[in-house]
Amino acid sequence: SWSCSDWIGPFYPPALKPGGFIEAYARRFRAVEIDSTYYGIPARSVVAGWREKTPPEFIFAAKVPGAITREKVLRNCAAELTAFLSTIELLGDRLGPLLLQFPYFNKTTFASREPFEKLLRPFLKSLPKDFHFAVELRNKNWISWDFLELLRDHSVAFALVAQAWMPGVDVLAKALDLVTADFCYARFIGDRKAIERKTQKWDKLVEDKRSEMTIWSGELKKIVNRGVRTYAFFNNHYAGFGPGSVKLFEDLWEKA
């Protein structure tokens, strides 16, 4: 996301109005993940405005609405998906991957991965081929070679997540081929509850993630060196200040 008022000063120019945030953001970064689409489908005029305010090479990734992934969990959601895609495609060649972010499923929701997979298989098969999708799982015990093969069969990316309770990317990379599409999608999320105990203001780094970032940089560089286009997004909750995390990661990437 780009709409953080705490970034005024340390990242955005002083006195910049929210309407100018995306333009300022796009002058510094090459892509953004839209968080707001998880909570609802934006107006078509809003999407058109995003396109108009950003340069031709800028890319928008976007979360698929939570009504599909969290509320209905892929059941009877064709109408919602069609409505979302018909709106977000107004971004045209600025549109990047679309993230299917699933929550952690407890035993009362799905006793195992199998019943979830029974819903996921036909859903993946029905996805239109002119869009790019990524899947994020938060049940770490569901991650295995056969699940990644399912995504690979449909050219859907397996989202790599830097999150407190998920396996490290180096651990996963030793056991699995993490590339399941013609692009890679990485998300640096951290531990929301833990960092909110340290700060409620997102204007500076409050956690040292240099060691973890170094590991991630090394693993993502291996993927990039395979010719796979790779997206990496950082939120404020990862270390306290999204733009600061990106700057640090860029520095480590160059040193790698």
Side-chain angles (χ1 to χ4, degrees), residues 188-202:
F188 292 78
I189 299 173
D191 187 333
R192 186 184 187 110
K193 290 183 179 179
I195 202 166
E196 284 185 349
R197 288 195 290 267
K198 297 180 179 180
T199 185
Q200 296 289 322
K201 191 171 178 62
W202 313 108

Side-chain angles (χ1 to χ4, degrees), residues 3 21 62 94 119 131 138 150 154 186-187 202 213 244:
S3 56
F21 283 3
R94 312 282 177 80
L119 296 171
F131 294 89
R138 296 192 175 182
L150 171 60
H154 297 281
R187 307 184 72 232
W202 313 108
M213 281 190 189

